[in-house]
Amino acid sequence: MKLKNIIIMSAVSVGAIGVYGCSSGSSSSSTASGTYAYISDFGGNKLLQCSVNSNNGQLVNCQNIAQPNTLNAPTGIALNNGQIYVNNSGFNSGFQSVQSSSIQCALSGGIATLSGCLVSSPTGVSNPIGFTINGSYAYIANYFGGPGYTKPGSYTWCSLEQSTGNLTNCNTESAPGIAMESSATPEVITINNNTTIGNSVAYVTDQQNAGYSYCKVSNIDGSLNSCSFESLVAGSGGITPIGPRQMTIINGYAYFADSGNTGGGTKQFDSAYTLCNVSPTDGKLSHCSTQQTSPGQLNSPTGIAINGNYVYITNENGPAGESVGYSYTMCNISESGFLANCNNYVPQGITNPNYAPPGKGVYLTYIAFGSN
């Protein structure tokens, strides 16, 4: 099984977002000082750190971050106050002690090493995918509901101890408790703090049911409430949105990465992204349209984030006919909100993207940006 994350607005999380041009030119040695991309490799049990080229935005000097025996099918990533958080979905064999858990490590400036890593398994966490931080709370989307890969999934929210970065006072709510379908597979929680209704709002993507749950965020304890489930439809783009994973908000638009599969199914549908307008009042989504990118074609996209002038989408699958994924699509945003001038790249520095054992693959999933 191949998997997925959460992104947040106006806070530090799986990624932030940007605008402007996209270059297909060759990479130079210039990099943005102290700016790094972090990408989870679900199939290879690895975490990549890449520098961001300041001339064209491409990801260069990529290397595996050392953290022995702490990763198990890593998915969602969040950065906050010198700490990095990575979810272990637990779908790969081995490393039984870190299955269905999150790791928290200190980032060392510019060095591909993590230190002081802690493995935590908050009560209720099961096959976690998305990890989001919003102020003093952390949110984890649990793809399945317990042992044996049972549906529905759930979400876990915890208090974030600012001095240590540790997660405390964690609680878990089943997906139906936030108006999701009985067979829901929650992927990522995106939080929108830019509303005028007195509450932040949250969007919880559901890969299985091609939609999302829209909720208000409690000002008292950070929980999600007053939820309603909304289905994504084909809209004006003509492509049916299947398998939404990470979602983010940029300049009044919401973007879903549509992987084209429903989690465990064998039939692959169109890979795409869905673009919606975001209400500045209550954060509700409208006028959605599902699109492909051209010429930078998406192939089972999972993560989407922005850094500087570019939007980055990680592709879980590789080129047509290949079983592994190791590419990302980089775009700018047009005045109408659609992604434009897109091109596909392999993170530079990965000498052998097919390094995983047979049947595993590389599967780049989620991406986050930060500065050390």
Side-chain angles (χ1 to χ4, degrees):
M1 180 170 194
K2 299 177 287 184
L3 298 173
K4 356 347 160 172
N5 187 12
I6 302 175
I7 207 162
I8 173 176
M9 199 178 169
S10 301
V12 179
S13 101
V14 175
I17 284 172
V19 219
Y20 294 124
C22 188
S23 170
S24 59
S26 61
S27 171
S28 77
S29 61
S30 176
T31 59
S33 177
T35 301
Y36 300 93
Y38 298 88
I39 306 174
S40 55
D41 174 359
F42 170 83
N45 267 354
K46 297 181 183 296
L47 182 66
L48 302 181
Q49 180 194 61
C50 305
S51 298
V52 180
N53 185 300
S54 61
N55 290 334
N56 57 26
Q58 293 180 34
L59 306 183
V60 298
N61 303 326
C62 299
Q63 52 190 316
N64 295 316
I65 299 181
Q67 65 293 297
N69 300 328
T70 57
L71 294 179
N72 189 332
T75 49
I77 306 171
L79 303 170
N80 185 63
N81 196 27
Q83 302 280 323
I84 186 169
Y85 301 80
V86 183
N87 274 339
N88 286 308
S89 65
F91 284 100
N92 287 347
S93 60
F95 301 127
Q96 298 298 314
S97 63
V98 297
Q99 285 201 10
S100 291
S101 62
S102 297
I103 64 167
Q104 169 199 340
C105 307
L107 288 170
S108 301
I111 302 174
T113 303
L114 303 181
S115 62
C117 294
L118 302 174
V119 177
S120 62
S121 299
T123 301
V125 168
S126 178
N127 305 117
I129 306 300
F131 196 113
T132 300
I133 294 175
N134 186 36
S136 56
Y137 295 100
Y139 298 85
I140 297 171
N142 299 303
Y143 192 77
F144 284 121
Y149 303 154
T150 59
K151 300 174 184 177
S154 63
Y155 87 97
T156 299
W157 77 104
C158 307
S159 296
L160 183 68
E161 206 170 76
Q162 295 299 322
S163 59
T164 63
N166 295 343
L167 306 182
T168 61
N169 302 319
C170 297
N171 296 276
T172 296
E173 174 71 63
S174 181
I178 52 173
M180 302 185 87
E181 304 290 331
S182 60
S183 59
T185 52
E187 284 281 340
V188 173
I189 300 169
T190 302
I191 298 181
N192 180 357
N193 294 319
N194 294 337
T195 65
T196 60
I197 57 174
N199 295 83
S200 297
V201 298
Y203 318 83
V204 188
T205 54
D206 180 357
Q207 182 192 13
Q208 178 73 40
N209 296 293
Y212 63 95
S213 189
Y214 164 88
C215 306
K216 292 182 180 178
V217 180
S218 170
N219 294 326
I220 298 174
D221 64 2
S223 61
L224 308 185
N225 51 61
S226 302
C227 302
S228 62
F229 187 78
E230 307 291 338
S231 296
L232 292 174
V233 296
S236 61
I239 300 174
T240 301
I242 298 292
R245 297 192 179 183
Q246 190 169 355
M247 173 259 197
T248 192
I249 297 175
I250 309 168
N251 296 339
Y253 296 105
Y255 298 83
F256 293 84
D258 300 323
S259 63
N261 70 70
T262 57
T266 56
K267 184 177 181 180
Q268 295 292 304
F269 297 86
D270 288 327
S271 298
Y273 73 94
T274 297
L275 167 69
C276 304
N277 292 342
V278 182
S279 167
T281 303
D282 57 12
K284 290 188 175 181
L285 309 184
S286 63
H287 300 96
C288 296
S289 177
T290 300
Q291 308 282 332
Q292 246 291 357
T293 60
S294 182
Q297 296 298 294
L298 302 175
N299 196 337
S300 195
T302 53
I304 180 169
I306 195 172
N307 184 68
N309 297 329
Y310 304 100
V311 175
Y312 300 77
I313 302 173
T314 48
N315 294 302
E316 193 175 61
N317 288 340
E322 296 188 16
S323 61
V324 298
Y326 49 85
S327 71
Y328 65 94
T329 303
M330 194 169 73
C331 309
N332 72 320
I333 299 177
S334 68
E335 291 183 1
S336 58
F338 293 105
L339 301 183
N341 303 325
C342 299
N343 290 280
N344 289 349
Y345 301 98
V346 174
Q348 295 177 31
I350 303 178
T351 56
N352 180 13
N354 298 297
Y355 57 74
K360 295 292 185 180
V362 179
Y363 308 145
L364 300 182
T365 46
Y366 294 107
I367 181 170
F369 289 88
S371 298
N372 290 345

